[in-house]
Amino acid sequence: MRIRLDRTICDGFGVCAKHAPKHFSLDDWGYASLIGDGTVEEADRDDVLRALFDCPVHAIVEIGDNEFDGEARPGPAAATEEAPVFEARWGYAQ
Ligand code: SF4
């Protein structure tokens, strides 16, 4: 399981750090940061899910393994077949 925290909508309630202190830290004003890269071990899954569901502003989301998480850009997709070539002539695509 992987998660992402959107700090722009975190309202500093601190619920996440209470439920899953291994994955969330709070700054002096109570706003959360992720600890680590968002990867959640199976043993921590329940605590993190509780934090996710209890976050009043839904700042924590689960992301899929192949989903772009904003940390690194996905590489170019491998070309599996040649892209079709469209030639525009007189306003028509052929
Ligand atoms: S529970 Fe949500 S709003 Fe509260 S500190 Fe954590 S991320 Fe921010």
Side-chain angles (χ1 to χ4, degrees):
M1 171 186 185
R2 292 187 66 207
I3 56 168
R4 178 174 52 202
L5 169 68
D6 186 346
R7 297 194 72 213
T8 64
I9 58 175
C10 171
D11 257 349
F13 291 93
V15 177
C16 53
K18 183 179 138 206
H19 291 321
K22 279 174 60 181
H23 292 274
F24 302 96
S25 65
L26 302 178
D27 65 15
D28 292 344
W29 295 274
Y31 292 96
S33 293
L34 265 185
I35 298 172
D37 65 356
T39 303
V40 178
E41 302 292 326
E42 195 59 34
D44 299 334
R45 182 182 167 86
D46 289 349
D47 292 341
V48 170
L49 278 178
R50 187 159 181 213
L52 185 153
F53 291 130
D54 282 358
C55 175
V57 294
H58 308 290
I60 307 161
V61 293
E62 182 177 3
I63 57 175
D65 289 337
N66 297 323
E67 192 172 334
F68 175 53
D69 63 4
E71 296 288 327
R73 294 199 164 277
T80 54
E81 61 185 56
E82 195 169 313
V85 177
F86 296 99
E87 184 180 338
R89 235 186 251 171
W90 303 105
Y92 297 99
Q94 297 179 338

